[in-house]
Amino acid sequence: MKHIIIIGNGIAGITTARHVRQQDDTARITVISAESEHFYSRTALMYIYMGHMTYEHTKPYEDWFWKKNRIELVRGYVEQVDTDARRIRLNDDTWLAYDALVIATGSVSSTGNWPGLDSTGVQGLYGLPDLESMGHHTSNIDRAVVVGGGLIGIELAEMLHSRHIPVTMLVRDTHYWSSTIPAEEGELIRRHVRRHGVDLQLKAELKEILADEAGHVRAIVTTDEREIACQFVGLGVGVTPNISFLKTSGIELGKGVLVNEYFETNIPDVYAIGDCNEFRVPITGTDGSPRKAIEQIWYTGRMHGETLAQTLCGNRTAYQPGVFFNSAKFFDIEYQTYGTMNAKLAEDEQTYYWEHPNGQQCLRINYEAKGEGVVGIHAFGLRLRHAVCERWIREHCPLPEVLSQFQQADFNPEFSENYTNQLQGKGPLRKNWLQRLFSTAN
């Protein structure tokens, strides 16, 4: 009987286990995780803190699901991977032999190297232990500081704001999320975050964290020598692959576990999927654009698991992602992005940008300067149909065609304002043509 060991019970690892079981009724499947007894939705952590959900609500499957499907759940850390003997050692010195090993250990929060990081009340937000720690260390505090303005940073700010804890956000860039979005969108989000009462400070960097005599954070100091009193510091400076336990395993590592398009490592029958893997050669999406070597996104982890299960069950299958997609939320502004949307245009690209007069909705479409084929779309405060946007990008539909058919992508709630009829161009487009195409009447 083939024994498949999966290290990690996140979306990538559990999807692999489920899909292997669907195809193979005889394999022994063991999932190892020290974080929690059962798989839960990591993206729902913030809603537990905010009181909208309980931990039980975040578990997609009943607790009996695992036994019924003969998926063994082991609570523990993997401390050693012995690829020569095809076995792993747990933190209680138990050894488990495998026929196939799947590394799906996800990420850990990046921490930087600032003085005072070891102070009590300083942490990131990635898993259930972080949530429990945050709940404990933010009880009855006067102020919090969030370092970093990415998606984790904005989640931390919203969580703290929901408990009426004053928050200061330090963002070192000249505009919000400058590594990902252009200045116009960054300004829209900056206004929105500040409208919610968050003290968002741009061009502001952390220098050190100060602790009191008991070792608990009492303040931070910025690089321009300003001291801000606080009792909690949330680190929203990103995540990094969780691979430190593999350093002596013989498995080749870069920033993540290095794999090919089949998720195969340099060691036979050892695979890596999800947040912790890194493609040696970037994978190309169905629109022809290269994807990132490391993609730490929920839905790609699920796709990794579905694809790898095919290989583990004897049908060696390469990973073939579609058009890039992601979504997030900035307080109550929803964000969607499709295709290639860099903060700065490539030399052969031009852009179309529309922003509602209320400053809370915007749309950007990047397109090829030659031929006007659309390469990327992102929207703030608008809901777009995934299949429609994906098709436009995959087929490189010309911008005029996309704009004339944009009603097809409108997925805003019934009776909400019709933004489609208000679109108007800014930038290097034929302004008169656009004015004829769209009504700007409110």
Side-chain angles (χ1 to χ4, degrees), residues 54-157:
T54 67
Y55 172 63
E56 287 71 27
H57 295 151
T58 70
K59 294 191 291 186
Y61 307 103
E62 298 288 350
D63 293 350
W64 49 258
F65 174 89
W66 313 103
K67 184 177 181 179
K68 178 181 178 180
N69 288 277
R70 290 175 290 111
I71 298 173
E72 302 173 42
L73 304 180
V74 175
R75 190 82 180 266
Y77 288 99
V78 175
E79 293 194 337
Q80 182 181 352
V81 176
D82 183 348
T83 55
D84 292 330
R86 301 170 73 91
R87 61 179 186 166
I88 62 171
R89 180 172 61 84
L90 302 180
N91 56 309
D92 63 358
D93 286 330
T94 299
W95 287 92
L96 295 176
Y98 66 82
D99 296 297
L101 178 66
V102 179
I103 302 166
T105 47
S107 298
V108 292
S109 297
S110 300
T111 58
N113 57 0
W114 295 289
L117 278 173
D118 57 349
S119 304
T120 302
V122 180
Q123 65 167 83
L125 178 67
Y126 182 79
L128 195 59
D130 297 323
L131 178 67
E132 294 170 350
S133 173
M134 184 173 174
H136 174 71
H137 291 302
T138 58
S139 177
N140 298 315
I141 66 172
D142 296 323
R143 174 167 287 277
V145 168
V146 173
V147 181
L151 297 180
I152 295 175
I154 199 67
E155 284 190 0
L156 285 165

Side-chain angles (χ1 to χ4, degrees), residues 159-231:
M159 291 164 70
L160 293 160
H161 177 73
S162 74
R163 295 197 179 185
H164 308 290
I165 299 171
V167 184
T168 295
M169 288 187 72
L170 303 182
V171 178
R172 66 181 181 180
D173 301 316
T174 56
H175 72 263
Y176 188 88
W177 213 16
S178 65
S179 63
T180 304
I181 59 177
E184 293 91 341
E185 291 89 318
E187 174 60 16
L188 183 149
I189 295 302
R190 184 198 69 81
R191 292 193 307 264
H192 189 69
V193 171
R194 291 185 65 86
R195 192 178 298 122
H196 278 79
V198 174
D199 176 26
L200 172 57
Q201 299 186 11
L202 298 174
K203 295 187 286 186
E205 296 188 57
L206 177 65
K207 178 182 178 182
E208 64 177 316
I209 299 167
L210 305 179
D212 60 21
E213 293 180 354
H216 196 286
V217 60
R218 66 171 181 82
I220 62 97
V221 179
T222 63
T223 53
D224 58 358
E225 303 300 336
R226 290 180 297 118
E227 183 173 313
I228 301 174
C230 61
Q231 298 79 45

Side-chain angles (χ1 to χ4, degrees), residues 309-329:
Q310 295 287 329
T311 295
L312 293 172
C313 293
N315 178 27
R316 189 167 180 257
T317 303
Y319 177 54
Q320 294 181 318
V323 172
F324 178 80
F325 164 74
N326 199 12
S327 63
K329 188 170 70 71

